[in-house]
Amino acid sequence: TYYSKEGPFGRFFAVLSPVKLRQVAVIGLGTGALACYAGDGQDWTFYEIDAAVEHLAREHFQFLQNCAPRAHVVLGDARMTIENAPDGTYDALIVDAFSSDSVPMHLITREALAIYLRKLAPGGHLLLHISSRRLDLTPVVAALTADAVLPARILFDDPTPGTPVWRRSPALVVIVVRQEIDLDAFTSRDGWAPLPKPESRHLWTDQRADLLRVIRY
């Protein structure tokens, strides 16, 4: 229900030209629901750490089968497996691994961000899905983008009262790019806004990450 067309993911793909969106990578497979945004001629790759998740996605859900039957699923820790992709490969890279109560912190550090940027094609877009019931990851992403001097926008989609929960759930995403011009189409009219002022204490690295500061008490 995070992935409805009216929500952040639908708005993200609606803005990007399908013609320019040839290579797409997603870190975190889940049920494979994001595959339903795959377009003709696009090459999608999912990076998933758990073989059981791929089994569930293929045996008990039909998103991969019906929407992107040619999508690749690469098993293993995405920090390592995505290194095998040539630099400059992906027109869009979606990191969708933070919405559970257990956050893979090594996927949202200064060093992880550097890897994602290397794998993006010129003009590529990085989308971080940071919805979480237990953690407020917005300050972490704000600190990361400020540290790397990268333009970014945040979008919190809160469906109107009465929207069925099985249809659309609140979702929080951040889009990151190399140049401000690549954000021109992501406007406040569609809900995109600047990130809050960053604080260096929220900067996560492979050596230091303060989880206690972002817990929702």
Side-chain angles (χ1 to χ4, degrees):
T1 57
Y2 284 132
Y3 310 111
S4 68
K5 288 186 177 181
E6 301 87 354
F9 294 93
R11 296 182 219 178
F12 175 74
F13 284 105
V15 165
L16 299 179
S17 168
V19 176
K20 296 181 179 179
L21 201 63
R22 311 311 297 174
Q23 296 278 348
V24 179
V26 182
I27 295 178
L29 173 61
T31 63
L34 273 176
C36 289
Y37 285 105
D40 293 338
Q42 294 178 355
D43 189 3
W44 280 58
T45 302
F46 289 87
Y47 292 90
E48 172 55 50
I49 195 170
D50 192 343
V53 171
E54 181 186 9
H55 174 77
L56 289 169
R58 294 191 183 280
E59 296 298 322
H60 298 281
F61 298 89
Q62 297 183 340
F63 301 117
L64 285 174
Q65 175 185 334
N66 292 343
C67 299
R70 297 185 183 87
H72 316 284
V73 177
V74 179
L75 292 175
D77 188 323
R79 269 284 295 264
M80 295 184 288
T81 55
I82 201 171
E83 287 279 25
N84 295 324
D87 290 351
T89 293
Y90 297 117
D91 301 300
L93 171 55
I94 301 169
V95 185
D96 187 24
F98 306 125
S99 58
S100 73
D101 292 336
S102 177
V103 171
M105 297 169 67
H106 69 298
L107 295 182
I108 191 171
T109 64
R110 172 194 280 161
E111 293 80 4
L113 180 60
I115 294 172
Y116 304 150
L117 292 173
R118 287 207 321 270
K119 301 307 171 183
L120 279 181
H125 295 76
L126 171 65
L127 189 71
L128 304 172
H129 182 199
I130 57 172
S131 301
S132 176
R133 293 174 297 177
R134 300 287 179 257
L135 303 175
D136 179 11
L137 296 174
T138 300
V140 177
V141 177
L144 285 171
T145 55
D147 177 70
V149 196
L150 294 171
R153 296 285 186 277
I154 190 169
L155 190 157
F156 174 59
D157 177 56
D158 190 13
T160 57
T163 301
V165 293
W166 51 264
R167 177 66 184 86
R168 182 177 170 194
S169 296
L172 182 65
V173 301
V174 176
I175 187 170
V176 183
V177 295
R178 293 193 186 91
Q179 300 182 52
E180 190 73 35
I181 192 173
D182 294 322
L183 287 177
D184 283 354
F186 298 90
T187 65
S188 58
R189 182 180 57 206
D190 289 325
W192 298 96
L195 281 165
K197 184 178 179 180
E199 298 182 46
S200 59
R201 63 178 179 163
H202 290 301
L203 179 64
W204 286 8
T205 71
D206 285 352
Q207 289 73 41
R208 178 188 178 278
D210 189 349
L211 190 63
L212 291 177
R213 290 186 185 274
V214 297
I215 293 176
R216 300 181 189 272
Y217 291 100

